Amino acid sequence: MQKLRAARILGWGKALPDRVLSNQELERIVDTSDEWIRTRTGIRERRIAAPDTAASDLALLAAQEALAKANLTVEKVDLIIVATVTPDMVFPATACLVQSRLGASRAAGFDLEAGCSGFLYALATGREFVASRTYDHVLVIGVEVLSRILNWQDRNTCVLFGDGAGAIVLGPAPLGEGILSTYLGADGAGGGLLSVPAGGSRRPVDQDVLATGAQYIQMNGSEVFKFAVRVMGEASLKALERAGLDLSAVSYLVPHQANQRIIDAAAKRLRLSPDRVIVNLDRYGNMSSASIPVALAEAADEGCFKSGDVLVLVGFGAGLTWGASVVRW
Ligand code: ACO
């Protein structure tokens, strides 16, 4: 058997719809206020995909940028993993749609769904393929068009989310470099706290569903909040332990962007000052699987990370699921 190796991030990219939806505009759609949204969540505005834009459109753009940054041609891509809860359609997989439009004819492809933790699950999966030498180059994409599954009459949810895509390319690295550890968790007993109840095989869309809005995101916000605050710190510490590092080694936290108060609580638990925490939810809201890769790509483009920096990527989401990864930049 061949020896294991590490995987590292060779390139990154993002794609965001042009359309900005501000809190002020939302005030005209539902009974809410800019003040409520900003103080409870930290969100000021979010991006909304055009009616003719689907997940694969945004995913393709993010993937092309990531490949260009990695200086890699499409022929080199061995596998495409797309994390999403809003695929173009039930099947074929959005990864296959991206593969075709990218022209990555050598690549295998599949979608993976783990709520807002989807990118961390996909990263962990891609890393294993590279580490085991099954593949050399894996494209990992997180993409969401959540605006399509929001009930625009429900102020509890419609103010929180946005659309976008982020992508990274993984390639081989010597052991001890790149992705140092991953940690994943799930608790299906909490699945009812955050779901889209209808549209699957349990409850296909019919007139009753349409009348009650069960095809849209439904959430118990305060319970999800408590769960999130608990697992963000725990998952980060577990991933650090697996990497053989302690808190003092952490350069930056790249958290899932759901709520500023959840991020602040995680940062406090990890004893990180705000300048060590990557935040973009004020501009994009919660983009589920796309939040972490977009935050990572933006911070990398701004030159935030220097070689050798230790990043902790951490998130939580529907499932319930959670996860973290420690990356040496
Ligand atoms: N505008 C004005 N008022 C609102 C709004 C709004 N947009 N939304 C809710 N309210 C009201 C509620 O109706 C409630 O009113 P009531 O007391 O009269 O019933 C009041 O505000 C307080 O509601 P709470 O739920 O107590 O508010 P809280 O401080 O918990 O904040 C929030 C709500 C922002 C949803 C918070 O709980 C949260 O962020 N939870 C986590 C959600 C999350 O991260 N979800 C994504 C998970 S990831 C995934 O996989 C998709």
Side-chain angles (χ1 to χ4, degrees), residues 165-249:
I168 58 162
V169 185
L170 293 176
L175 284 173
E177 291 182 20
I179 298 166
L180 304 181
S181 72
T182 55
Y183 171 77
L184 303 174
D187 176 12
L193 295 178
L194 179 56
S195 68
V196 175
S201 58
R202 174 73 58 197
R203 202 172 164 197
V205 174
D206 58 17
Q207 289 305 326
D208 279 353
V209 166
L210 295 176
T212 55
Q215 75 276 30
Y216 297 126
I217 292 182
Q218 303 193 350
M219 182 180 74
N220 179 333
S222 53
E223 288 303 314
V224 174
F225 189 96
K226 282 184 250 170
F227 147 74
V229 166
R230 179 170 54 79
V231 296
M232 292 279 274
E234 272 174 28
S236 301
L237 293 172
K238 291 270 192 201
L240 279 166
E241 190 185 313
R242 282 188 181 176
L245 296 173
D246 62 29
L247 280 177
S248 63

Side-chain angles (χ1 to χ4, degrees), residues 32 36 40 116 155-156 159 194 219 221 258-259 261 286 317-318:
T32 189
W36 192 96
R40 295 295 177 110
C116 297
R155 68 177 186 175
N156 290 299
V159 304
L194 179 56
M219 182 180 74
N259 187 312
R261 292 183 291 145
N286 179 348

Side-chain angles (χ1 to χ4, degrees), residues 26 30-34 36-37 39-43 85 113-118 144 146 149 154-161 193-195 217 219-228 256-262 286-289 316-321:
L26 274 169
V30 283
D31 180 17
T32 189
S33 67
D34 171 52
W36 192 96
I37 302 171
T39 53
R40 295 295 177 110
T41 71
I43 301 165
V85 300
E113 195 268 283
C116 297
S117 312
E144 302 293 357
L146 293 167
I149 58 165
D154 177 12
R155 68 177 186 175
N156 290 299
T157 51
C158 77
V159 304
L160 303 175
F161 300 96
L193 295 178
L194 179 56
S195 68
I217 292 182
M219 182 180 74
N220 179 333
S222 53
E223 288 303 314
V224 174
F225 189 96
K226 282 184 250 170
F227 147 74
H256 174 48
Q257 310 278 316
N259 187 312
Q260 186 66 50
R261 292 183 291 145
I262 294 171
N286 179 348
M287 297 184 290
S288 190
S289 295
F316 64 93
L320 298 169
T321 56

